[in-house]
Amino acid sequence: VALDRQLVGLVAVADQIKKNSREAIAKLQKMGLEVVMLTGDREETAQAIAREAGVDQVIAGVFPDGKADVVKDLQVQGEKVAMVGDGINDAPALVQAEVGIAIGSGTDVAIDSADIVLMHSDLLDVVTAIRLSQATIKNIKENLFWAFAYNTLGIPIAMGLLYVFGGPLLNPMLAGLAMSFSSVSVVTNALRLRRFKIES
């Protein structure tokens, strides 16, 4: 700001980090995930925001079409990349990443390009999405294990394996009941995901 051609003040404009961003990044790092800030901002600005948010790695000064290239380079190094973005410039990188996560308040292009769309602009939802996906995969593996174990044991008995060795034949009604119990147990185990706690 100048008055009579003399400098009397400076006006600085900067993006403010979103509420809960620092907490979300800390939780992601605690989960063993490597957090990288990928931005088109100047190095100095990006480093200042990264320090405030608790991000260790910063890739700054990236042109819009370069974000997808950065993701590709990380993938070449053997990394599995989840990209979080909300702008038109993020769309190619969201598509390139193994998992694209769009902020719900972002542009339509970013939302259409993403695999997951967060309903709010809270980065803690990223932590929730990852933990929910991990819980889902664990649940699927449990269901597969018990279904295979149950059927590996139950099908030979239903076919008369016990009878071959002098045991009884399994009544078809009991076999049907046992098969229903297998399905009920799998569904009941899956319903445990309803008790999943959302990050707050």
Side-chain angles (χ1 to χ4, degrees):
V1 179
L3 179 62
D4 295 330
R5 297 184 179 275
Q6 295 296 316
L7 179 68
V8 294
L10 294 171
V11 177
V13 180
D15 288 331
Q16 298 296 310
I17 66 170
K18 286 182 169 64
K19 178 186 173 186
N20 296 330
S21 294
R22 187 174 182 85
E23 182 186 355
I25 289 165
K27 285 186 176 183
L28 290 170
Q29 291 168 335
K30 193 174 180 182
M31 291 165 65
L33 299 174
E34 198 173 330
V35 180
V36 179
M37 177 193 270
L38 179 59
T39 177
D41 288 340
R42 293 179 56 198
E43 184 73 29
E44 298 82 359
T45 306
Q47 289 292 348
I49 296 293
R51 278 194 298 273
E52 192 178 348
V55 178
D56 299 324
Q57 292 189 56
V58 179
I59 302 175
V62 182
F63 290 108
D65 58 346
K67 289 187 177 182
D69 293 333
V70 172
V71 171
K72 204 178 294 183
D73 290 342
L74 291 170
Q75 290 168 328
V76 168
Q77 295 169 29
E79 303 287 352
K80 300 293 182 190
V81 180
M83 170 74 185
V84 182
D86 62 357
I88 294 173
N89 297 344
D90 298 321
L94 289 169
V95 172
Q96 178 63 41
E98 273 81 8
V99 180
I101 304 174
I103 305 294
S105 61
T107 62
D108 290 341
V109 176
I111 290 171
D112 288 342
S113 302
D115 303 298
I116 298 172
V117 179
L118 305 178
M119 299 308 293
H120 308 102
S121 297
D122 190 344
L123 284 182
L124 280 174
D125 288 346
V126 175
V127 179
T128 299
I130 292 171
R131 286 188 172 159
L132 179 57
S133 68
Q134 291 171 335
T136 303
I137 292 297
K138 181 183 176 188
N139 192 284
I140 290 170
K141 288 179 178 177
E142 288 171 354
N143 284 343
L144 284 173
F145 172 80
W146 289 113
F148 275 118
Y150 193 85
N151 286 305
T152 300
L153 183 65
I155 290 174
I157 293 173
M159 290 171 59
L161 182 65
L162 295 179
Y163 183 76
V164 172
F165 295 101
L169 278 172
L170 187 64
N171 187 306
M173 287 191 299
L174 290 177
L177 184 65
M179 197 65 219
S180 297
F181 176 75
S182 169
S183 298
V184 169
S185 65
V186 165
V187 171
T188 302
N189 188 45
L191 287 174
R192 288 190 307 115
L193 288 172
R194 294 175 67 183
R195 297 201 301 266
F196 179 82
K197 290 183 180 178
I198 295 174
E199 287 297 320
S200 57

